[in-house]
Amino acid sequence: MEAGRSELLRPPASAGRATFLELFFDLAFVVALSRVSQRFAGLNDDTGWALAAGFGRTLLLFMALWLIWSHTAWITSRYEPEQPVIQAVVVGTMFAGLVMAVALPRAMEERALPFTVAYLMVMVVRPLVVAAALRGHPRRMVPLRLAAWSTASAPLWLAGALGPEHLRTPLWAAALAVDYLAWALGWPVPRLGASVVGRWRIAGTHLADRYQQMFLIALGESILIIGVVFSGTDYSGERAAAFTVAFATSALLWRIYFHRAGLLLTEALDQAARPGQLGAASERTHLVIVLSVLVSSVGYELVIDHPYGPPQVSWLLFVVGGPMLFLVARMRLDYEIFGQIFHPKVIGFVALLLVTPALARSERMVGLSVVAGVLALVALLDALRSRGRPVERPASPIGREASEGPVSEA
């Protein structure tokens, strides 16, 4: 029986690439990310506190979805995706993610309960299934720890879903904080201690694949929005120009992400003495990167709809704020891969920061064009910096040393 349970673990000789099952699983999150964008786009006419509150509520829902997705990525990085039990877990999670996606546009209103139930089924029931499949194996304690912490936060989720609507956001924010804190601390429990994620043995190639794929899914969502919005409005030269600039902006985000650091993520994880530590740091970075792409995609929608609409705080948040957030996260990725931050991203961020006051008084099309110009400058400076030089190799300061204890299978 022990040997059979060990078959659930991903073998050291595994190729590590993402499987078709995981790509199938991602289809539910294509829907989910589109619903997140829909909620963000609904904030177009809001200002002041209403805009901040609406953005915060949508961010909360996105982070709940991200926790489901990232936990699944780590499960398939530690366990063999070809095993029937793991396949059942992934498909079940996909269904729950689809329920959350369907409920998400009104999750803060009348669809709060299905959103919560689907989330708790993944956070509480899924680890119990994995633990049962691993019975007798030392690694079973990790999913049991996760289930214990998720059970502790479950009353907050349910109280938010069933209680007064005005308490939903603070209750869910508290519950989500517990879930993320537990993830960061390794779900510590009395006597058993914690299972620190940074010490896990993982398939670095696989985890890098999953992060890169989720970034591309977010970019795909932005391309879908560009196409759908342009095809659904009356044709005009102004909208065609906005469509072109929006596409160019998405292409520049792709270029900036994959130039060196994004492309070398796999190699960096493979070389790290503690791939789990670097993988955990990269998970947080990609959360921000994916969020920034979604926020930027809403900006494309607003500009294509009304290229020369009046200045509003909401459009500035999406058109300029999204790319600025992307550059910050991309700087962090440079540090994680190379141990340094390169000046083109810093120049781009400072440039957008300096022009923001002027853009607040400009038409939307002007704002998006300036953003595209700044991103093009970043891409050009990146290319010039690398021209004629040896290709940089990963030199991550994260997970380089094994001084904090051995890599763990727990």
Side-chain angles (χ1 to χ4, degrees), residues 10 16 108 142 334 340:
R10 183 182 280 269
M108 285 293 179
V142 174
D334 273 341
Q340 58 182 311

Side-chain angles (χ1 to χ4, degrees), residues 247-331:
F247 174 79
T249 304
S250 281
L252 287 165
L253 294 180
W254 166 82
R255 165 66 179 175
I256 293 169
Y257 173 85
F258 279 108
H259 183 75
R260 299 295 190 258
L263 195 62
L264 294 175
L265 180 60
T266 299
E267 188 175 339
L269 281 165
D270 284 342
Q271 292 180 2
R274 290 183 178 279
Q277 189 175 348
L278 178 56
S282 186
E283 180 266 334
R284 293 186 288 271
T285 299
H286 281 81
L287 183 157
V288 181
I289 287 175
V290 170
L291 175 65
S292 70
V293 173
L294 292 180
V295 171
S296 300
S297 69
V298 176
Y300 307 153
E301 179 177 354
L302 299 180
V303 176
I304 295 172
D305 257 344
H306 301 286
Y308 294 98
Q312 286 180 294
V313 175
S314 59
W315 78 261
L316 198 65
L317 171 66
F318 297 113
V319 173
V320 183
M324 288 179 69
L325 188 63
F326 174 82
L327 290 174
V328 170
R330 188 56 185 74
M331 284 186 267

Side-chain angles (χ1 to χ4, degrees), residues 7 37-38 49 70 105 129 144 177 259 303-304 314 345 362 387:
E7 289 177 359
S37 296
Q38 179 184 352
W49 169 249
S70 61
V129 172
L144 288 176
H259 183 75
V303 176
I304 295 172
S314 59
K345 285 86 174 178
S362 304
R387 186 178 181 181

Side-chain angles (χ1 to χ4, degrees), residues 144-203:
L144 288 176
R145 287 184 177 97
L146 195 160
W149 273 88
S150 298
T151 300
S153 68
L156 292 172
W157 284 105
L158 291 171
L162 299 173
E165 191 171 313
H166 68 278
L167 294 178
R168 186 162 298 146
T169 299
L171 286 171
W172 280 8
L176 196 62
V178 171
D179 290 341
Y180 268 91
L181 180 63
W183 166 245
L185 297 178
W187 307 282
V189 294
R191 297 186 179 180
L192 296 177
S195 177
V196 180
V197 176
R199 297 183 183 178
W200 286 2
R201 188 182 301 279
I202 60 168

Side-chain angles (χ1 to χ4, degrees), residues 44-384:
N44 179 35
D45 296 325
D46 291 342
T47 57
W49 169 249
L51 176 61
F55 190 93
R57 286 192 291 268
T58 304
L59 176 61
L60 189 155
L61 298 173
F62 166 75
M63 292 184 69
L65 283 167
W66 179 266
L67 195 61
I68 297 295
W69 182 87
S70 61
H71 278 191
T72 306
W74 281 72
I75 284 175
T76 51
S77 186
R78 281 164 57 80
Y79 302 105
E80 178 52 64
E82 299 302 325
Q83 288 293 319
V85 171
I86 302 303
Q87 290 181 343
V89 163
V90 172
V91 173
T93 303
M94 178 182 179
F95 179 74
L98 192 59
V99 171
M100 292 173 68
V102 171
L104 194 142
R106 302 290 297 173
M108 285 293 179
E109 292 80 24
E110 70 274 7
R111 296 182 187 173
L113 188 58
F115 184 90
T116 299
V117 170
Y119 177 84
L120 292 178
M121 287 294 291
V122 175
M123 295 298 290
V124 177
V125 177
R126 181 176 70 176
L128 293 177
V129 172
V130 175
L134 288 169
R135 63 190 181 279
H137 194 283
R139 196 180 282 189
R140 76 188 187 285
M141 298 311 301
V142 174
L144 288 176
R145 287 184 177 97
L146 195 160
W149 273 88
S150 298
T151 300
S153 68
L156 292 172
W157 284 105
L158 291 171
L162 299 173
E165 191 171 313
H166 68 278
L167 294 178
R168 186 162 298 146
T169 299
L171 286 171
W172 280 8
L176 196 62
V178 171
D179 290 341
Y180 268 91
L181 180 63
W183 166 245
L185 297 178
W187 307 282
V189 294
R191 297 186 179 180
L192 296 177
S195 177
V196 180
V197 176
R199 297 183 183 178
W200 286 2
R201 188 182 301 279
I202 60 168
T205 299
H206 173 269
L207 209 56
D209 266 5
R210 299 302 287 134
Y211 293 153
Q212 292 164 344
Q213 287 162 2
M214 181 50 71
F215 168 70
L216 290 174
I217 287 171
L219 269 186
E221 167 62 17
S222 73
I223 296 298
L224 179 64
I225 286 178
I226 291 170
V228 169
V229 174
F230 184 53
S231 64
T233 58
D234 294 334
Y235 177 83
S236 69
E238 292 83 0
R239 289 194 174 100
F243 168 81
T244 302
V245 175
F247 174 79
T249 304
S250 281
L252 287 165
L253 294 180
W254 166 82
R255 165 66 179 175
I256 293 169
Y257 173 85
F258 279 108
H259 183 75
R260 299 295 190 258
L263 195 62
L264 294 175
L265 180 60
T266 299
E267 188 175 339
L269 281 165
D270 284 342
Q271 292 180 2
R274 290 183 178 279
Q277 189 175 348
L278 178 56
S282 186
E283 180 266 334
R284 293 186 288 271
T285 299
H286 281 81
L287 183 157
V288 181
I289 287 175
V290 170
L291 175 65
S292 70
V293 173
L294 292 180
V295 171
S296 300
S297 69
V298 176
Y300 307 153
E301 179 177 354
L302 299 180
V303 176
I304 295 172
D305 257 344
H306 301 286
Y308 294 98
Q312 286 180 294
V313 175
S314 59
W315 78 261
L316 198 65
L317 171 66
F318 297 113
V319 173
V320 183
M324 288 179 69
L325 188 63
F326 174 82
L327 290 174
V328 170
R330 188 56 185 74
M331 284 186 267
R332 177 183 163 98
L333 186 62
D334 273 341
Y335 176 77
E336 290 170 357
I337 303 303
F338 301 114
Q340 58 182 311
I341 296 173
F342 299 114
H343 66 269
K345 285 86 174 178
V346 178
I347 292 173
F349 177 82
V350 172
L352 288 179
L353 189 64
L354 293 176
V355 301
T356 295
L359 294 181
R361 300 186 295 273
S362 304
E363 286 98 350
R364 301 175 184 184
M365 182 61 185
V366 173
L368 184 60
S369 299
V370 170
V371 167
V374 170
L375 293 178
L377 175 63
V378 171
L380 176 62
L381 291 176
D382 264 338
L384 292 175

